[in-house]
Each structure stands twice: as structure tokens, then as C-alpha cells.
């Protein structure tokens, strides 16, 4: 076995490539590795949060439609840390404010109820999707950061060729390998971020649709009470 080939294989290992790189490429690699760790931390945390939120919303809505007394249900469930509960509370609070006086403007009450619960839905979705912008940023920026490291590494390789006045593979390979390794780390960070962003966006859209359906159903219930009032 050729000892030169053994040495080349060792110097082309991922750890060796990182250690041999200059400070610019090392900074790119380190930043992309941190971005990858951050991405996976968000994926794990958000996945559990989204699953719990959807399950608890389903239970809340089933309990709500079974409840016979809206005021009693509101007193028991309004303080729950749940999007459905906060949308429900927004509707109840607006209902109480609009019907507190002796004379009730039915059309105005309906509009205020829709606006109040619609704003609550939008606020809950903004809070739920807060971390998704980080995944979107990493997914779109990481490949270009890796490409910057690639370009810098290739420039360094050409400088090494010029200094050594030797274009053999032993001179060129380490620098080019460092450059391509930076791109690989960029893709390693970006691909999970893009997949997770698309998947979680779909999940958030389903939560939003569920909240809107709940708000519409609650609005219909309150609207019937307005029609029944004289």
C-alpha cells in the first residue's frame, strides 16, 4: 500500500479538513455546525409543541361542544394555556361587553365578535409560528454561506499552487476538499431546515384552519342567542 495515499486519506478526513482550514473557512464551518444544531433543537421542540397543541385543542373543542352552560365552561376553562381557550375567551369577553347595556346592536355585535375572535386567531398563529422564521432563514442562507467557504477555499488552493509552483493532486486536494466540505456542511444545515419548515408550516396552517372553524362555530352559537333575544 502506498504511504502517500494513506497520508492523503488521513488528511482528507472531516476533522482533519476542519483543522487544516484557515480561520475564514473554520468560521464558516463552525457557524454552519451551530446552525445545524440550532435547527435540530427547533425541530425537536416545535414538533412536540405542535403535536401537544393539536391534541389539546381537539379535546378542548370536544368538551366545549358538549358543554350546556357557556358561562360555566368559560369559568372552568378560560385560563388554559391553549390557543382555542384564548380565542374562546376573546369571544366571551366581547360578547359580555357588547351585551352589557340594555339595548343591543345585533349587527354591530356580530361584527365585533368576528373581529375580536379573528384577531385572537391571528395572534395565536403568530405566537405558534414564531420560530419558523429561523428555519426559513437557515434553509435559505446556509447553502450560500457554505458556498462562500467553498469559494474562499478554492482561492486558497490556487494560492497554494502558485506558491508551490506545483499543480499535483497532493497540493491541490486538501484545499479543494476543505472548500467542498464547507458546502457539504451548508447543505447539511439547510436541507433539514427546509423540510422542517415546510412540514411545520403545513401543521400551523391546519391549526389556523381549526381555530377559524372553532371561532366560526362559536360565532354562530352567539349569533343564535342574539336572534333569540328581544
Amino acid at each position: 500500500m502506498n504511504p502517500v495515499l494513506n497520508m492523503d486519506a488521513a488528511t482528507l478526513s472531516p476533522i482533519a479538513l476542519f483543522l487544516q482550514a484557515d480561520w475564514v473557512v473554520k468560521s464558516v464551518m463552525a457557524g454552519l455546525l451551530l446552525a445545524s444544531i440550532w435547527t435540530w433543537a427547533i425541530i425537536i421542540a416545535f414538533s412536540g409543541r405542535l403535536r401537544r397543541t393539536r391534541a389539546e385543542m381537539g379535546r378542548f373543542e370536544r368538551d366545549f361542544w358538549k358543554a350546556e352552560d357557556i358561562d360555566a365552561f368559560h369559568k372552568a376553562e378560560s385560563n388554559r394555556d391553549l390557543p382555542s381557550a384564548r380565542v374562546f375567551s376573546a369571544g366571551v369577553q366581547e360578547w359580555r361587553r357588547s351585551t352589557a347595556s340594555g339595548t343591543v346592536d345585533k349587527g354591530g355585535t356580530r361584527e365585533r365578535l368576528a373581529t375580536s375572535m379573528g384577531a385572537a386567531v391571528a395572534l395565536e398563529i403568530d405566537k405558534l409560528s414564531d420560530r419558523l422564521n429561523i428555519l426559513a432563514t437557515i434553509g435559505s442562507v446556509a447553502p450560500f454561506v457554505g458556498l462562500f467557504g467553498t469559494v474562499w477555499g478554492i482561492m486558497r488552493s490556487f494560492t497554494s499552487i502558485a506558491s508551490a509552483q506545483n499543480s499535483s493532486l497532493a497540493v491541490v486536494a486538501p484545499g479543494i476538499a476543505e472548500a467542498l466540505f464547507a458546502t457539504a456542511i451548508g447543505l447539511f444545515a439547510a436541507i433539514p431546515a427546509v423540510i422542517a419548515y415546510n412540514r411545520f408550516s403545513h401543521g400551523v396552517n391546519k391549526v389556523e384552519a381549526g381555530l377559524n372553524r372553532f371561532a366560526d362555530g362559536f360565532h354562530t352559537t352567539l349569533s343564535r342567542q342574539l336572534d333569540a333575544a328581544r
Side-chain angles (χ1 to χ4, degrees):
M1 186 175 293
N2 192 333
V4 175
L5 293 180
N6 284 338
M7 181 184 66
D8 290 345
T11 57
L12 295 180
S13 68
I15 295 176
L17 290 175
F18 176 80
L19 295 176
Q20 293 168 6
D22 69 348
W23 67 271
V24 174
V25 180
K26 279 182 179 178
S27 299
V28 169
M29 292 180 181
L32 291 173
L33 285 173
L34 289 175
S36 180
I37 294 171
W38 196 7
T39 294
W40 281 106
I42 293 174
I43 289 173
I44 294 170
F46 195 90
S47 178
R49 180 185 177 190
L50 188 61
R51 190 183 307 111
R52 288 191 304 271
T53 298
R54 292 178 63 180
E56 292 176 7
M57 281 176 55
R59 286 193 292 268
F60 179 88
E61 292 176 24
R62 285 193 297 271
D63 292 341
F64 170 78
W65 294 117
K66 292 178 182 177
E68 297 180 356
D69 188 336
I70 291 179
D71 289 330
F73 185 81
H74 178 259
K75 185 177 181 180
E77 302 289 342
S78 61
N79 292 327
R80 291 186 61 183
D81 184 17
L82 190 64
S84 296
R86 286 187 282 270
V87 172
F88 170 64
S89 293
V92 171
Q93 290 168 10
E94 182 57 44
W95 169 263
R96 289 175 176 173
R97 286 192 295 265
S98 297
T99 58
S101 61
T103 303
V104 178
D105 179 4
K106 295 183 179 181
T109 299
R110 288 188 177 93
E111 290 180 5
R112 287 190 293 271
L113 285 169
T115 301
S116 178
M117 288 191 286
V121 169
L123 178 61
E124 293 303 317
I125 294 304
D126 285 343
K127 289 163 58 178
L128 183 62
S129 60
D130 181 54
R131 294 294 183 90
L132 293 186
N133 64 326
I134 298 175
L135 294 180
T137 301
I138 293 175
S140 60
V141 172
F144 294 101
V145 176
L147 182 60
F148 169 75
T150 297
V151 172
W152 187 272
I154 291 175
M155 289 172 56
R156 186 166 172 260
S157 295
F158 283 129
T159 303
S160 299
I161 292 172
S163 299
Q165 296 183 350
N166 186 349
S167 60
S168 67
L169 185 61
V171 174
V172 177
I176 294 179
E178 293 166 14
L180 295 177
F181 189 48
T183 297
I185 297 177
L187 295 175
F188 181 76
I191 291 173
V194 172
I195 294 173
Y197 175 80
N198 291 332
R199 183 61 181 170
F200 290 153
S201 294
H202 177 68
V204 170
N205 288 339
K206 292 181 72 173
V207 170
E208 183 177 14
L211 285 175
N212 282 323
R213 284 194 301 270
F214 173 73
D216 290 344
F218 187 36
H219 185 277
T220 301
T221 300
L222 296 177
S223 183
R224 290 196 191 100
Q225 293 191 23
L226 281 176
D227 291 337
R230 294 187 178 180

